[in-house]
Amino acid sequence: MSNAEQAPQNSAGTSRATLDKKTGDIAAMFDTVAERYDLMNGILSLGQHIYWRHQAVAAVDAKPGMKVLDVAAGTGTSSEPFADAGVEVIAADLSEGMLAVGRKRRPDISFVQADVTALPFADNEFDAVTMSYGLRNVADYPKALSELYRVTKPGGRVVVLEFSTPTNPLFATVYKEYLMKAIPPVARKIASNPESYEYLAESIMTWPNQQELAEHFKAAGFKNVQYRNLTGGIVAIHRGFKA
């Protein structure tokens, strides 16, 4: 990354993306949190991330002999269940720092640096495509959905696991307080780049709700679009099929 493309930095010199979600800023920010990213996910989700990922894997429903693309795979945690089940999986991510950690952990998985708005894969290449917690980091997420559609085979499915909008108003208020007031102090004690988790909270608060995202799926060409709320709508799984 050239000097002109460096992400905004705080007084400590660490990168922090902003809600304009410039590609270079997002990649630089995740590079700085790669080593402790999975640990922080577990702490901040209170362990719920394991359940959420299991549900996403079940929604993909990949079988041996199928080829799966896992976008925003980070260190490959989301790709491992597919590889362990004998499914051919490619783990793609924008952050080379995250991918480097993944390659050390799982040398048996193919890790590819890729921008989801311009994927380096052929049309109709994958039986299924999945993306966890990455879509809201893309400024032009409708274009990203179109790319996911392009690389999926006819009859294949796309599954997106993403933070969403709690369905209970009272719970939504409590959740908002947690995001904005609890996450930053925890991150300052544990994370290598705590400011990145301030961006995390902000990006969740401004993300479209479940029905709005479902409409974007339909606009990208997906059929039989459905979503399922998990943990009261803190996260949601959206799934669509390519005709």
Side-chain angles (χ1 to χ4, degrees), residues 67-183:
K67 186 176 183 181
V68 173
L69 174 63
D70 184 15
V71 185
T75 62
T77 301
S78 56
S79 306
E80 288 179 321
F82 301 112
D84 292 344
V87 175
E88 180 184 359
V89 60
I90 294 178
D93 199 273
L94 185 64
S95 166
E96 182 55 43
M98 298 283 276
L99 295 170
V101 173
R103 291 187 186 106
K104 291 179 182 178
R105 291 178 56 246
R106 289 298 297 257
D108 58 315
I109 294 176
S110 177
F111 288 86
V112 177
Q113 187 175 31
D115 180 345
V116 69
T117 63
L119 292 170
F121 305 109
D123 295 354
N124 309 320
E125 185 170 345
F126 298 93
D127 297 288
V129 179
T130 185
M131 187 174 188
S132 298
Y133 313 120
L135 191 60
R136 79 177 188 290
N137 294 321
V138 183
D140 192 354
Y141 62 87
K143 183 177 180 180
L145 287 172
S146 294
E147 273 292 274
L148 300 185
Y149 183 89
R150 179 184 66 81
V151 301
T152 303
K153 293 179 180 179
R157 68 190 64 190
V158 168
V159 174
V160 172
L161 173 66
E162 188 55 89
F163 289 102
S164 200
T165 304
T167 55
N168 181 287
L170 179 60
F171 180 50
T173 300
V174 174
Y175 179 59
K176 180 179 179 180
E177 290 291 307
Y178 171 73
L179 283 177
M180 303 309 294
K181 294 184 178 180
I183 286 182

Side-chain angles (χ1 to χ4, degrees), residues 165-215:
T165 304
T167 55
N168 181 287
L170 179 60
F171 180 50
T173 300
V174 174
Y175 179 59
K176 180 179 179 180
E177 290 291 307
Y178 171 73
L179 283 177
M180 303 309 294
K181 294 184 178 180
I183 286 182
V186 173
R188 281 193 289 272
K189 292 182 178 181
I190 302 174
S192 55
N193 181 3
E195 287 76 11
S196 65
Y197 289 90
E198 295 175 6
Y199 160 80
L200 167 71
E202 294 168 2
S203 66
I204 293 172
M205 295 299 298
T206 58
W207 183 242
N209 65 30
Q210 292 88 324
Q211 188 56 46
E212 289 172 344
L213 185 56
E215 294 303 320

Side-chain angles (χ1 to χ4, degrees), residues 45-82:
S45 72
L46 306 179
Q48 286 293 296
H49 69 301
I50 297 174
Y51 167 69
W52 297 338
R53 288 197 187 279
H54 283 169
Q55 297 305 307
V57 170
V60 174
D61 193 27
K63 301 292 192 298
M66 295 176 66
K67 186 176 183 181
V68 173
L69 174 63
D70 184 15
V71 185
T75 62
T77 301
S78 56
S79 306
E80 288 179 321
F82 301 112

